[in-house]
Amino acid sequence: FQDVDLVWYKNPLPYFHDKENSVHNFDILFQDDGARSLRYAPYSANTGFYYVRNNDKTKFLFRSLLFLGDMVLSMTSHQQALAALLDEHSSLTGLRVKTLSASEFPGGYHYHRKKEIDFMRDIATGKHTPFLLHMSWTTNKRNKLLFLKQMALWYTHEACESGGAVALAKESTGTSLQQTCCSAEALISCHYRDKPSDHSCHGQGKNIDGNGKPFWK
């Protein structure tokens, strides 16, 4: 499962399927949220990206989650409800839960925190290639979009961003939705110089965090 504000740099499925990998013995694996509050203890699981193995323990876990639908609706997210169940089921059924490596499965915790700026530069320059980047910890959808664009992680043409993509594809005789809306190359635009970005955005844009320092030196 993954949220839509998440982009793969490389396919993580072979990593999960590798029987020689230490994570293969776990039933369910989550991206590290970065938050260390009691609310998400003890796993700090981010439900924007997780991998579930098909077995009796995980089936029982998600069957139990279905009965917490009122909690999910009241919180507008299933993250806290599922986090509570993880702790319960690890004790009740022996469910094996794994929080994935933050350096291989980074998210907004890394993107927005100044202490992670060198790590984000390594990603932007290709020195380090994680499996994905999840634009979590971000205030609104508009900013998520702008941050993904300046990180060279956006592949949808502007005409298809605001809806009506299917109708647009139908108007384009002989072309599919993919051909109409998707780009083979990243569609980069630069917006905030104090946020991580592709190197082509060096010195461009304005600050979003007040007196924030430029991402590129």
Side-chain angles (χ1 to χ4, degrees):
F1 176 90
Q2 69 170 61
D3 285 348
V4 296
D5 59 343
L6 184 152
V7 181
W8 291 8
Y9 283 99
K10 53 187 180 183
N11 185 359
L13 295 180
Y15 176 82
F16 296 130
H17 296 166
D18 182 3
K19 293 183 179 179
E20 301 300 318
N21 194 328
S22 61
V23 305
H24 193 268
N25 294 322
F26 290 90
D27 299 307
I28 187 166
L29 305 99
F30 288 87
Q31 181 183 37
D32 188 345
D33 183 80
R36 295 296 181 262
S37 59
L38 183 62
R39 180 182 181 185
Y40 297 124
Y43 300 107
S44 296
N46 186 301
T47 55
F49 180 84
Y50 56 92
Y51 181 85
V52 187
R53 303 197 189 281
N54 181 18
N55 59 42
D56 290 340
K57 293 177 182 178
T58 57
K59 288 177 182 178
F60 182 40
L61 171 71
F62 283 97
R63 191 179 303 118
S64 301
L65 181 63
L66 287 175
F67 288 104
L68 295 180
D70 54 341
M71 180 186 292
V72 175
L73 288 173
S74 67
M75 296 179 174
T76 66
S77 168
H78 72 301
Q79 181 158 314
Q80 188 168 349
L82 186 51
L85 284 176
L86 292 177
D87 194 22
E88 177 184 334
H89 281 244
S90 64
S91 175
L92 180 64
T93 68
L95 181 77
R96 293 162 296 183
V97 183
K98 175 68 174 176
T99 304
L100 294 163
S101 164
S103 63
E104 294 300 328
F105 297 86
Y109 173 83
H110 301 86
Y111 187 85
H112 294 293
R113 288 171 64 91
K114 300 306 179 186
K115 63 184 294 184
E116 301 290 346
I117 192 168
D118 289 335
F119 173 70
M120 290 304 304
R121 284 200 191 106
D122 285 346
I123 293 177
T125 58
K127 185 178 179 180
H128 173 63
T129 304
F131 283 103
L132 51 83
L133 179 64
H134 180 196
M135 198 56 71
S136 53
W137 284 46
T138 302
T139 305
N140 54 60
K141 293 179 181 179
R142 177 182 179 277
N143 283 348
K144 287 175 184 280
L145 178 63
L146 298 182
F147 296 153
L148 288 170
K149 285 182 175 181
Q150 69 178 46
M151 275 297 291
L153 292 174
W154 190 254
Y155 296 85
T156 303
H157 291 295
E158 188 173 359
C160 298
E161 288 178 10
S162 57
V166 175
L168 184 64
K170 289 180 178 179
E171 293 172 4
S172 303
T173 307
T175 61
S176 66
L177 180 63
Q178 181 179 355
Q179 291 173 311
T180 302
C181 294
C182 301
S183 170
E185 302 294 330
L187 302 172
I188 306 171
S189 56
C190 309
H191 304 277
Y192 301 112
R193 64 181 182 180
D194 58 340
K195 288 293 184 182
S197 65
D198 183 76
H199 196 271
S200 62
C201 291
H202 189 298
Q204 298 186 52
K206 59 185 179 180
N207 280 9
I208 190 174
D209 291 335
N211 296 321
K213 295 181 180 179
F215 175 70
W216 293 106
K217 298 178 180 179

